[in-house]
Amino acid sequence: MQINLKSKNILVTGASRGIGQSIAELLGSCGANVALHYSKNKNRAEKVKHHLGPKAKLYQCDFTDGLEISSFFNAVVKDFKKLDVIINNAGIAIKSDPDKDDISWVNDWLQTMDVNLNAAALLCKKAIQHFQDNNGGIIINISSRAAFRGDSKDYMAYSASKAGLVGLTKSIARAYGKDGIKAFLVAPGFVRTEMAQAFIDEYGEDYATNDLSLDHMTEPKDIAQFVAFLASGFANHATGGTFDINAGSYLH
């Protein structure tokens, strides 16, 4: 079985580094045209675009601004005419000690929800409307094992935001399947990225690896390979499903 995404138009959020970069580059190598979203790191995003060549277009958007998100999606559709797949990968993990003052803690909470959940929800809403007018499509939301098993006290907002994606994804799958819309959830554990490195630097390598069933930490390419499989349409009858890509560190 070979994954061929030629002529598919796919939006990847948070595509300038880590999991998003790996997803975008693999989709491009499978023939897809890729809309690359980034927030701040234009230089990194431009390197990804250069790697993919003319099949990719670059878009900047601040995911804490709902109006900007809507305009961003509309710009992608205007350029690509039709989207086949949207991959909500962009995310942040803000360390926020509950002993912080209330205002600071709530600000951390709200920023996390804006980027990790609210932006993804709005993009899903826009994608659903677009897919209904274009004979269906695929939504892939990148969550986390933290949505199911929780996280440390400093990352409660991260865990809660990723849990919100679970209900969102399952609801889309239930409500819109007959419109040809499929929705999937991918739940990584620790992945060797810059974001995960902050945890490793603070808690140590053993914190990230001591509960793995495999002998090494998940790499971004491991997530990308599975996302490409979902984007291909080969797994459509698993719509609404959660797929744990976490080296066996959380099984449910």
Side-chain angles (χ1 to χ4, degrees):
M1 182 174 64
Q2 191 171 21
I3 294 177
N4 182 356
L5 300 175
K6 188 175 180 180
S7 79
K8 297 290 187 183
N9 298 326
I10 302 179
L11 168 60
V12 182
T13 70
S16 65
R17 63 177 187 164
I19 293 172
Q21 176 183 351
S22 188
I23 289 171
E25 291 179 346
L26 181 57
L27 296 177
S29 72
C30 293
N33 304 306
V34 187
L36 303 166
H37 159 264
Y38 73 98
S39 176
K40 298 177 181 178
N41 201 327
K42 185 177 181 179
N43 288 338
R44 290 283 296 269
E46 287 178 337
K47 289 179 180 178
V48 179
K49 182 185 182 302
H50 179 74
H51 178 79
L52 291 175
K55 66 180 64 176
K57 290 183 181 293
L58 205 58
Y59 301 87
Q60 190 278 332
C61 183
D62 177 2
F63 275 7
T64 63
D65 185 333
L67 291 177
E68 191 172 326
I69 295 166
S70 184
S71 297
F72 152 69
F73 185 88
N74 292 341
V76 174
V77 170
K78 181 179 179 181
D79 288 342
F80 283 81
K81 310 305 180 189
K82 175 180 180 289
L83 283 175
D84 300 288
V85 183
I86 176 173
I87 300 164
N88 283 309
N89 164 75
I92 57 173
I94 300 173
K95 181 181 179 183
S96 191
D97 192 320
D99 290 335
K100 272 186 172 182
D101 67 272
D102 291 351
I103 292 175
S104 296
W105 189 86
V106 167
N107 284 338
D108 290 343
W109 178 278
L110 293 176
Q111 185 179 351
T112 302
M113 292 299 163
D114 277 343
V115 175
N116 292 4
L117 180 57
N118 297 340
L122 179 53
L123 288 172
C124 283
K125 175 184 181 296
K126 301 282 287 183
I128 288 165
Q129 294 166 340
H130 177 74
F131 290 158
Q132 285 176 319
D133 294 333
N134 290 278
N135 300 312
I138 293 172
I139 294 170
I140 303 170
N141 291 325
I142 308 298
S143 180
S144 169
R145 69 179 182 184
F148 302 94
R149 73 171 210 172
D151 211 313
S152 69
K153 64 183 178 66
D154 293 333
Y155 293 96
M156 289 191 292
Y158 176 80
S159 177
S161 68
K162 292 299 188 178
L165 288 176
V166 178
L168 172 66
T169 306
K170 290 181 181 294
S171 296
I172 292 169
R174 288 174 61 89
Y176 294 103
K178 289 185 172 58
D179 292 331
I181 299 171
K182 284 73 65 177
F184 305 99
L185 195 83
V186 175
F190 272 112
V191 181
R192 197 170 289 282
T193 64
E194 292 173 24
M195 181 184 289
Q197 194 61 46
F199 292 85
I200 295 170
D201 290 344
E202 181 174 1
Y203 297 105
E205 183 88 11
D206 287 347
Y207 182 84
T209 60
N210 63 7
D211 59 356
L212 302 185
S213 299
L214 301 182
D215 62 1
H216 61 280
M217 194 183 301
T218 305
E219 301 284 344
K221 66 179 182 180
D222 299 312
I223 309 298
Q225 289 165 356
F226 201 86
V227 168
F229 174 67
L230 295 175
S232 72
F234 285 133
N236 281 350
H237 280 261
T239 187
T242 297
F243 300 94
D244 300 304
I245 315 294
N246 56 45
S249 61
Y250 180 73
L251 308 171
H252 72 282

